[in-house]
Structure formats: structure tokens, C-alpha cells
Amino acid sequence: MDSEIKQWPAIGDGRVSYKFHTIQYPTEKHVGLWRNLFRPCASVRLFLSTLLPNVPATIYVDIDVIFLSAVEGLWAHFKSFNASQLVAFTPEHLEMKYGWYNRFARHPFYGRQGVNSGVMLMNLSRIRDLPYSWVNTTLENQKKYMKQIPFGDQDLLNIYFSVHPEQLYVYTCEWNYRPDFCMHTDHCPTAKTNGIRVLHGNRQAFEINRWPSFKAIYQTLQQHNATNRWTESSLIVPIEEAMSKMSDRRKRCSVIKPYVLYSLQRSLSLRGS
């Protein structure tokens, strides 16, 4: 992985630096439980405030996430936090009839339909400055709800913010666009106007054939040489062609094509300006 990262143009020209950290949990007791909560090591996002003690703020993203726009646009949401907000998420769903939390959850959750933690902004300084321990609260909630949290760390975050809603900033769905927003109906309104900024291939959307448009984008990017800079001919044209070729008889999420292309075209235009 280290050798592949070093090939990125942003690394080579000094715009981006990186550092690897060893995953650690706050207690040795039940490390196996935490390490495999929902998905291997996904629960580490719950403990970044102690794992990164000198970092004031960070963005956490799941491994199945693709940025279709500059990360600076996502980072800019920190400026919109009010004085009490610690963390930012997008909604889990936007329509009640398709929501998971409002229909099936057996634990408290944020708002009417819960939030998704796949793309997560965290003000780590504020978390460390809480008058109580974020980590201990997390451990207590896990112990209390351990048999009721099928989505593990995301459920624990929903439980926490159901009690402390004033500490959560909710931003719009184009920053964490998942198949859930198009698999039944097209119901992420800001993606229609702003494009899809961050594409989240949960539900194995990048791997299986259920959502061909998601898979087409992922496979096209996989084939791109990381040492080459993005251009319209090397990025937009191949993705558009791949999405057009994908067979999608049921039209599952084929609606995302113009949203993806708009975001990519805008990103390249801004980079060139």
C-alpha cells in the first residue's frame, strides 16, 4: 500500500503527506469484540479522539468511498459547525417508507431516520474537551445495547446523538451518496442540483451487479494509472462510456449518471481555473 500511495501525483508534488497509525482500542478487554464489531476495525472511528491525540479535526471515510470532488469541499463544512457541534453526518434515509432505523431499530437513534457514519467529520478537540468521557460513554452504550446494534459503531453513534442532538451537524446527501438514495426512488434532491460529491458503495455496490452504475465507476477508476493526472479524456469519457455499457434492466440507480458526470466536470473545471 505504501508504494502505491507514493505514486499519487499529490504525494509527489508535496501537496499531501500521510502517516500510518496502529489501530488501538481503549481497553485490552474484549479487543476482539471491538475489532470485529460490524466490520473488521470499523469501530476505530469511535476512538479517533484518543488514537490521534494531537490532531484537532479529521475526516473519517469508509473504505468503500470514492471522492468525485475535491476533499476541501467536504472539509469546508467544519466552518458551518456551531459552538456545540462535534461531529457531522449525512442522513441514513430521506423517505420514511424506506428508512431502516424508523422501521426496524431496537435502540434509540438520531432524529426521525438516523444518520450514516460512512463519511464523518469529527472535531476531535471538542470531543476531548467534553465534561465527560466520550470513550467511557461509548463503552457503556455498547454494554447496554450489545444485542441490539446490528450496524455496530454506526448504531452506537446514533444512540449517542439521540441523547445529544445539539452536538451533531447534519449535511446533505450528495456528500455520502449511497444506493439507498436511488434503489427505490431518486430521493437525494441536492445531488440533482450539486452532483454527487462523494460516492459510497455500501451494500457491496462496487462489487456486485445489483447497481451496475456504481460498479462501472469503481471498475473504471481501478483501471486508471494512479501516476497519471485526471483529465476529461482520461476520467470523464471512460466513466461515461462504462456507465452507458452497463446493463441495468431494472434501472436500479441508473439515474446517477448525470449527477456523477456533473460533479466530475465541475471538479476538473475548478482545478483548471
Side-chain angles (χ1 to χ4, degrees):
M1 178 181 290
D2 187 51
S3 61
E4 292 179 0
I5 292 176
K6 287 179 178 176
Q7 296 180 43
W8 297 353
I11 299 293
D13 62 21
R15 287 182 291 130
V16 174
S17 60
Y18 67 98
K19 181 179 180 181
F20 289 102
H21 292 266
T22 301
I23 292 177
Q24 297 176 329
Y25 289 96
T27 173
E28 289 298 317
K29 188 176 183 180
H30 305 311
V31 166
L33 182 152
W34 284 105
R35 190 178 296 276
N36 295 293
L37 190 69
F38 184 57
R39 294 289 186 269
C41 299
S43 63
V44 72
R45 79 190 81 187
L46 301 173
F47 308 112
L48 291 178
S49 58
T50 54
L51 182 62
L52 306 173
N54 300 313
V55 176
T58 192
I59 295 174
Y60 170 93
V61 296
D62 282 349
I63 195 171
D64 53 355
V65 162
I66 295 174
F67 278 81
L68 302 179
S69 62
V71 69
E72 290 88 345
L74 181 60
W75 186 270
H77 283 280
F78 278 116
K79 297 179 181 179
S80 299
F81 280 30
N82 65 30
S84 64
Q85 289 169 334
L86 315 174
V87 173
F89 296 124
T90 57
E92 172 71 11
H93 285 92
L94 292 174
E95 291 194 7
M96 295 293 287
K97 62 182 177 180
Y98 301 129
W100 192 92
Y101 283 108
N102 58 285
R103 292 187 297 161
F104 305 118
R106 298 169 53 214
H107 59 76
F109 55 89
Y110 175 84
R112 300 178 67 206
Q113 297 184 72
V115 285
N116 184 277
S117 61
V119 180
M120 178 178 180
L121 280 67
M122 303 181 75
N123 187 316
L124 301 178
S125 295
R126 290 185 180 181
I127 292 175
R128 288 188 288 265
D129 289 342
L130 287 170
Y132 51 87
S133 169
W134 165 280
V135 169
N136 288 343
T137 301
T138 299
L139 297 175
E140 291 167 3
N141 283 336
Q142 190 279 331
K143 184 176 180 180
K144 180 177 180 180
Y145 294 102
M146 66 172 67
K147 295 183 179 181
Q148 300 163 261
I149 49 173
F151 296 127
D153 45 283
Q154 179 173 292
D155 289 341
L156 290 172
L157 288 162
N158 268 280
I159 290 167
Y160 177 88
F161 288 109
S162 72
V163 179
H164 304 283
E166 75 286 354
Q167 296 179 4
L168 184 62
Y169 171 87
V170 179
Y171 55 109
T172 48
C173 50
E174 80 268 24
W175 294 101
N176 182 8
Y177 192 98
R178 298 169 292 113
D180 303 75
F181 294 129
C182 56
M183 59 191 283
H184 300 294
T185 61
D186 182 12
H187 65 276
C188 174
T190 51
K192 301 176 184 180
T193 55
N194 302 329
I196 295 173
R197 306 296 188 90
V198 181
L199 189 69
H200 186 179
N202 70 321
R203 299 178 179 268
Q204 297 182 293
F206 293 147
E207 303 171 35
I208 63 177
N209 293 320
R210 190 173 184 184
W211 299 282
S213 294
F214 280 74
K215 187 174 182 180
I217 296 166
Y218 174 71
Q219 288 183 333
T220 303
L221 293 175
Q222 264 195 323
Q223 295 166 7
H224 181 78
N225 189 332
T227 63
N228 296 334
R229 295 184 180 275
W230 293 115
T231 64
E232 182 167 356
S233 60
S234 70
L235 173 65
I236 296 176
V237 172
I239 286 179
E240 183 175 13
E241 290 177 350
M243 294 178 74
S244 298
K245 291 177 182 177
M246 279 289 184
S247 174
D248 192 359
R249 287 177 296 177
R250 296 188 180 182
K251 303 299 181 184
R252 286 194 180 101
C253 290
S254 59
V255 70
I256 73 170
K257 180 179 176 181
Y259 312 155
V260 169
L261 297 178
Y262 174 83
S263 189
L264 291 173
Q265 289 165 345
R266 185 172 184 272
S267 296
L268 287 180
S269 175
L270 290 173
R271 179 181 295 181
S273 62

